[in-house]
Amino acid sequence: TRGLVMTSADFQTWHKRMGYTYDSGAKALGMGRTTYYDYLKKGGELPLWLGLACAALEAGLKPVGSE
């Protein structure tokens, strides 16, 4: 299921591509700065929901119910 798994390396690449700081990336994903940093440095596979959230942000999608 590699196609559905985001790794820490993928997350680091996404973080740079989006131009986020630790603070802006954490805010965009609705998490604390420390948690965001931990996911960047964790290594290995990250939760599926995180990869989906990153893809949604990159696609310009808004959270359900935000409009």
Side-chain angles (χ1 to χ4, degrees):
T1 62
R2 172 60 186 110
L4 295 177
V5 176
M6 179 181 232
T7 65
S8 185
D10 297 329
F11 190 48
Q12 291 168 14
T13 300
W14 175 86
H15 167 82
K16 290 175 187 171
R17 185 170 58 243
M18 296 296 285
Y20 284 138
T21 63
Y22 294 147
D23 290 326
S24 64
K27 183 176 181 181
L29 288 167
M31 65 177 66
R33 184 182 191 278
T34 301
T35 302
Y36 188 85
Y37 176 83
D38 288 346
Y39 280 131
L40 283 170
K41 302 301 177 188
K42 179 179 181 178
E45 295 181 0
L46 301 178
L48 176 60
W49 66 264
L50 183 57
L52 293 170
C54 291
L57 285 171
E58 192 162 1
L61 299 176
K62 303 285 186 215
V64 173
S66 67
E67 297 179 350

